[in-house]
């Protein structure tokens, strides 16, 4: 099977490329402009350095290769930046995704797996923080909106072009590094909690901040569902198998169905590293819902996905070990 992975040099994409490469049945091509990715995180596959906004080049690449499936990770994903620079997000995430879908339809590439996000759900009722794929959507920031709009484009395209099918995987909070220590998250100036805490634990930052401790949660800090990056990568392989056997489009949440507060994650990082780094309180950030937890019944019942690393300690430990290495 000939697979194009956009954004495959990035954090999550490189973990998928590793898992695909460990099996012999996949021929992998990675397309990435390396704006936040790293070529040396690619353990397998052919690499093409290209920007998805270069529509002519993308069309040429599809003419020169005969892809069976596109797995589309490439995106901009810094939530606070999306609030101050929304057009970057609509262009890179929604417009470039729309073009990529158009090129797929033109070249008869009928399988598409899309990196969506829990950020499309927005704030839920305080007594109902576990979201299913049917829960109400309502992104709280342009990043989430840009991804939600891409889902709408995919839905309409698959309705109009009957052979074209997609899976949107709505990732919750992705964290950790490969358990064998070969790859991990190398993102510069990261804003995501586990990575920032790992940088503090490894002595690369002198302190970190908690944004808001007045949320309606037990300890006042936001609650999220943290999924280990290797379990998320394997969800793509199972989604691909589902797409191949069913030829039906679908949406799946990807998380573990339980949440940890910001304070709990920081405490765990301090425990696994043995480092008591400084943490300061700040006010709430715009666009942060108080709690978001995935109901993952659907992906577990409709695919063979069986997560192996549902363990906050392992998530923090692999992130910390990787951070010390880079
Ligand atoms: N990390 C998370 O917690 C999380 C959560 C939900 C959803 N997602 C989604 O998962 C996907 C991957 O995220 P990640 O954490 O691996 O981020 P990342 O920044 O490490 O990876 C994104 C990759 O896309 C590439 N890229 C960006 N714009 C491009 C363009 N125009 N042309 C070619 N390449 C381009 C980057 O160089 C990078 O290698 C994104 O779509 C993101 O929205 C991530």
């Amino acid at each position: 099977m000939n697979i194009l992975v956009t954004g495959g040099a990035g954090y999550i994409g490189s973990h998928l490329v590793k898992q695909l490469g460990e099996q012999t049945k996949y021929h992998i091509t990675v397309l990435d402009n390396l704006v936040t990715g790293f070529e040396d995180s690619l353990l397998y596959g052919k690499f093409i350095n290209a920007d998805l906004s270069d529509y002519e080049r993308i069309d040429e690449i599809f003419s020169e290769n005969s892809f069976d499936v596109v797995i589309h990770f490439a995106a901009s994903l810094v939530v606070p930046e999306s609030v101050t620079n929304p057009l970057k997000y609509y262009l890179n995430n929604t417009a470039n995704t729309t073009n990529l879908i158009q090129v797929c339809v033109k070249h008869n590439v009928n399988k598409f797996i899309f990196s969506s996000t829990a950020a499309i759900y927005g704030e839920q009722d305080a007594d109902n923080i576990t979201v299913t794929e049917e829960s109400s959507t309502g992104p709280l920031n342009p990043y989430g909106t840009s991804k939600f709009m891409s889902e709408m484009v995919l839905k309409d395209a698959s309705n109009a072009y009957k052979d074209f099918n997609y899976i949107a995987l709505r990732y919750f909070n992705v964290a950790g590094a490969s358990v064998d220590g070969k790859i991990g998250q190398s993102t510069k100036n990261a804003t995501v909690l586990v990575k920032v805490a790992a940088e503090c634990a490894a002595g690369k930052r002198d302190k970190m901040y908690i944004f808001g401790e007045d949320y309606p949660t037990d300890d006042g800090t936001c609650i999220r569902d943290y999924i280990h990056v290797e379990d998320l990568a394997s969800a793509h392989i199972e989604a691909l198998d589902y797409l191949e056997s069913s030829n039906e489009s679908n949406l799946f949440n990807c998380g573990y169905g339980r949440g940890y507060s910001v304070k709990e994650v920081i405490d765990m990082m301090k425990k696994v590293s043995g480092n008591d780094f400084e943490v300061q309180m700040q006010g709430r950030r715009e666009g942060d819902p108080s709690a978001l937890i995935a109901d993952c019944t659907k992906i577990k019942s409709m695919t063979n996905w069986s997560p192996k690393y549902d363990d906050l300690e392992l998530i923090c430990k692999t992130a910390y070990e990787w951070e010390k290495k880079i």
Side-chain angles (χ1 to χ4, degrees), residues 140-161:
L140 296 179
N141 49 64
Y143 166 66
T145 309
S146 72
K147 289 282 182 173
F148 187 56
M149 287 162 71
S150 301
E151 280 197 14
M152 298 296 99
V153 177
L154 281 164
K155 188 175 170 199
D156 291 343
S158 78
N159 283 336
Y161 313 110

Side-chain angles (χ1 to χ4, degrees), residues 5-281:
V5 183
T6 76
Y11 170 44
I12 306 168
S14 61
H15 285 80
L16 173 68
V17 168
K18 178 172 184 284
Q19 285 184 12
L20 292 172
E22 284 164 355
Q23 303 185 35
T24 48
K25 61 178 172 175
Y26 302 112
H27 180 271
I28 309 157
T29 303
V30 170
L31 185 158
D32 200 298
N33 65 0
L34 301 180
V35 67
T36 54
F38 300 88
E39 196 174 346
D40 61 6
S41 65
L42 288 173
L43 303 185
Y44 299 93
K46 176 174 101 179
F47 176 62
I48 301 176
N49 189 335
D51 194 308
L52 283 174
S53 65
D54 185 347
Y55 294 173
E56 271 178 37
R57 176 109 195 269
I58 301 304
D59 192 50
E60 274 166 29
I61 291 167
F62 273 68
S63 298
E64 289 159 7
N65 294 272
S66 76
F67 300 122
D68 299 304
V69 52
V70 170
I71 305 184
H72 178 40
F73 291 97
S76 304
L77 55 138
V78 181
V79 170
E81 182 192 50
S82 82
V83 176
T84 55
N85 190 1
L87 300 185
K88 172 175 172 182
Y89 284 72
Y90 293 121
L91 285 170
N92 198 28
N93 297 357
T94 316
N96 290 346
T97 298
T98 305
N99 181 65
L100 185 63
I101 296 165
Q102 185 180 34
V103 175
C104 285
V105 170
K106 177 178 167 191
H107 292 271
N108 224 9
V109 180
N110 288 324
K111 295 185 189 68
F112 196 100
I113 297 184
F114 176 62
S115 300
S116 190
T117 168
I120 65 156
Y121 290 115
E123 193 69 68
Q124 303 293 315
D125 297 340
D127 54 352
N128 185 23
I129 53 175
T130 302
V131 292
T132 72
E133 291 80 357
E134 308 304 317
S135 295
S136 62
T137 49
L140 296 179
N141 49 64
Y143 166 66
T145 309
S146 72
K147 289 282 182 173
F148 187 56
M149 287 162 71
S150 301
E151 280 197 14
M152 298 296 99
V153 177
L154 281 164
K155 188 175 170 199
D156 291 343
S158 78
N159 283 336
Y161 313 110
K162 293 297 174 204
D163 291 334
F164 178 81
N165 290 303
Y166 75 95
I167 303 288
L169 295 176
R170 294 176 173 169
Y171 312 164
F172 282 63
N173 288 62
V174 191
S178 75
V179 173
D180 65 10
K182 286 189 180 162
I183 53 174
Q185 184 167 22
S186 301
T187 321
K188 304 272 181 237
N189 307 315
T191 54
V192 291
L193 176 63
V194 175
K195 172 80 177 165
V196 170
E199 287 174 349
C200 288
K204 296 180 184 177
R205 295 188 191 226
D206 51 2
K207 60 174 178 272
M208 65 178 291
Y209 301 98
I210 292 179
F211 298 101
E213 52 173 349
D214 57 349
Y215 285 96
T217 61
D218 284 350
D219 66 19
T221 64
C222 289
I223 291 177
R224 294 289 182 274
D225 186 338
Y226 294 90
I227 176 171
H228 189 274
V229 65
E230 290 205 87
D231 278 337
L232 182 62
S234 70
H236 291 74
I237 296 180
E238 299 305 335
L240 181 54
D241 284 353
Y242 168 88
L243 197 51
E244 271 211 293
S245 56
S246 71
N247 275 320
E248 272 181 22
S249 298
N250 222 325
L251 300 169
F252 295 123
N253 282 344
C254 295
Y256 291 138
R258 70 157 105 180
Y260 292 99
S261 74
V262 173
K263 281 185 179 161
E264 285 173 318
V265 172
I266 292 174
D267 286 348
M268 182 60 81
M269 188 59 80
K270 288 183 173 179
K271 180 182 154 198
V272 300
S273 66
N275 245 335
D276 187 14
F277 48 86
E278 186 183 346
V279 179
Q280 284 184 3
M281 297 300 164

Side-chain angles (χ1 to χ4, degrees), residues 275-293:
N275 245 335
D276 187 14
F277 48 86
E278 186 183 346
V279 179
Q280 284 184 3
M281 297 300 164
Q282 286 209 339
R284 293 183 179 197
R285 272 187 318 201
E286 197 180 329
D288 276 340
S290 53
L292 263 186
I293 297 171

